[in-house]
Amino acid sequence: QLGPVAKPLSMALAVVLGLIGVLVADRLSTNLAAAAAANRSFGMGRSLRVTRRHTWRLLGMTFWMLFTLGLAGAIGAGGYLLHQQFGTPWTLGLAAVLFAVVVWFSVFFVLTLPASVYRLLGEGRDFEQG
């Protein structure tokens, strides 16, 4: 029985811990891209060192990614609601195609961003350099 102060305090603590978790996950995501590129010398420590000065940029990238995925989810939900509203076979097909495109885009988007960060920060190469 902590009283009425406990709920806002616990919410603030959850937000702070969540942001710290997102920041650490962002900084370590380049390690996954390095593993996919078969770079065994790029470990977690190097991932944290390389992304040290880019924490806020990575956080902005994450929020942009979540916003974009939210829009994709809203489009997918729109297809589902279209099918629920009309219930015809063509709306089911349309909803299935729309959902497949949204899922493909989401997977592509989520996997491409850490790979791009790894290429820029981990390898020190921009896409214009080849």
Side-chain angles (χ1 to χ4, degrees):
Q1 301 294 337
L2 296 175
V5 178
K7 187 172 181 178
L9 189 60
S10 64
M11 293 288 279
L13 182 64
V15 167
V16 168
L17 291 176
L19 280 174
I20 290 171
V22 166
L23 289 172
V24 171
D26 277 346
R27 292 181 63 192
L28 290 176
S29 68
T30 56
N31 189 24
L32 296 174
N39 186 353
R40 294 180 186 263
S41 66
F42 198 90
M44 287 187 196
R46 186 164 176 207
S47 177
L48 290 172
R49 282 189 302 276
V50 166
T51 58
R52 180 181 309 141
R53 298 166 86 185
H54 301 280
T55 302
W56 292 109
R57 290 180 186 155
L58 291 172
L59 185 63
M61 176 194 75
T62 299
F63 284 122
W64 176 251
M65 181 178 64
L66 291 175
F67 174 75
T68 306
L69 292 176
L71 287 177
I75 292 169
Y80 173 76
L81 292 175
L82 179 72
H83 172 63
Q84 290 296 322
Q85 180 68 30
F86 296 107
T88 59
W90 69 269
T91 57
L92 177 62
L94 180 66
V97 168
L98 190 62
F99 184 71
V101 168
V102 165
V103 167
W104 177 83
F105 170 77
S106 300
V107 168
F108 177 76
F109 195 61
V110 167
L111 294 178
T112 306
L113 284 175
S116 300
V117 171
Y118 165 70
R119 181 171 168 108
L120 180 64
L121 299 178
E123 293 181 349
R125 296 188 305 176
D126 198 358
F127 287 99
E128 295 173 359
Q129 295 173 350

